[in-house]
Amino acid sequence: YFDDYHQFQKPVIQDEFGGIYLDGNGDVGGYPLLPGAMLRWQGYNHTKEMRFEQQSLSYGKVGEYWRRLGISGIGAFPILCSWDDGNHWFLGDVADGKKKALWNDMTVVWAEKTVSMDIWDRDFVPSEKVIVPIHCINDGQDSTIIQYRIQVRDMAGNALFSKDGAT
C-alpha cells in the first residue's frame, strides 16, 4: 500500500507476517502448519481469547514496527481468505461484516497521524527504569501537534506513572 516505491530509501521484501490465521470463531484454519505454530506460541491449553489476542498483537505490532521504519506494508491477503488459506479478520460469518478486535490494533498502521511506542516487553519489575522511544508520525499535509500520554498500570489497572508529551 504505497503510491511510489521511490519514497523508500531501502528496498523492502514483504512476506507473510502475522501468521495467526483464525476463522470467525477463533479456531485455527486449515493451513497444515497452523496447529504446530499455535502450540509454539500459546502452548497446549490455549483459549479462543488467547488466540484472538495473539492475532491482534501479531498483525498490529509488526505493522506498527514497519510504520516506525518508514515501510508501507501489511499482510493484506489474510484479511479475507478461505479456511484453507488462512481465514479472515472478521467475527462469525464473513457476510455479517463484524470486525475482529485486530482492526483496532491496525489503527496505528493506517492512521494519518499516530503515536507509536518502541517497546516490546510488557513485564517489568518494581523500580525498574525503562527508556521508551516515542515516535510521532504525521503523514498529513498540516503541522498538527500530536499529544500523547504514557501510563504504567498495575495488573488491576491502577496508574502507577503518567507522563504527557507533545510534538
Side-chain angles (χ1 to χ4, degrees):
Y1 292 90
F2 56 86
D3 296 321
D4 182 355
Y5 73 90
H6 290 100
Q7 76 189 70
F8 303 106
Q9 295 178 6
K10 298 178 183 177
V12 175
I13 297 173
Q14 178 182 343
D15 192 2
E16 300 173 34
F17 70 83
I20 305 292
Y21 304 124
L22 304 175
D23 67 12
N25 299 316
D27 294 323
V28 176
Y31 193 73
L33 298 177
L34 296 180
M38 192 60 66
L39 285 175
R40 182 171 58 97
W41 290 318
Q42 297 288 346
Y44 284 101
N45 298 314
H46 51 84
T47 64
K48 172 175 60 174
E49 291 75 22
M50 291 167 67
R51 292 189 295 270
F52 279 141
E53 181 180 4
Q54 182 68 32
Q55 187 180 45
S56 290
L57 284 171
S58 179
Y59 285 104
K61 291 299 180 190
V62 171
E64 181 177 351
Y65 172 68
W66 280 32
R67 178 91 186 259
R68 286 195 302 263
L69 294 178
I71 297 169
S72 181
I74 64 165
F77 78 91
I79 294 172
L80 190 60
C81 286
S82 70
W83 183 82
D84 296 315
D85 290 332
N87 305 151
H88 52 77
W89 290 8
F90 296 89
L91 288 173
D93 191 324
V94 173
D96 296 336
K98 187 175 178 186
K99 297 176 183 176
K100 290 180 183 174
L102 74 95
W103 286 89
N104 294 332
D105 292 296
M106 293 299 290
T107 301
V108 70
V109 178
W110 293 321
E112 181 180 65
K113 298 172 184 76
T114 191
V115 176
S116 174
M117 294 190 320
D118 191 358
I119 188 165
W120 293 81
D121 192 355
R122 299 185 318 176
D123 298 303
F124 307 101
V125 296
S127 302
E128 179 178 357
K129 294 186 184 218
V130 179
I131 296 172
V132 181
I134 302 295
H135 300 264
C136 294
I137 301 168
N138 182 353
D139 291 332
Q141 299 297 316
D142 59 26
S143 58
T144 301
I145 293 174
I146 298 176
Q147 297 179 340
Y148 58 88
R149 173 173 291 151
I150 299 173
Q151 288 188 328
V152 176
R153 295 179 176 267
D154 64 16
M155 296 298 289
N158 301 311
L160 304 174
F161 170 82
S162 185
K163 180 168 177 69
D164 293 334
T167 184

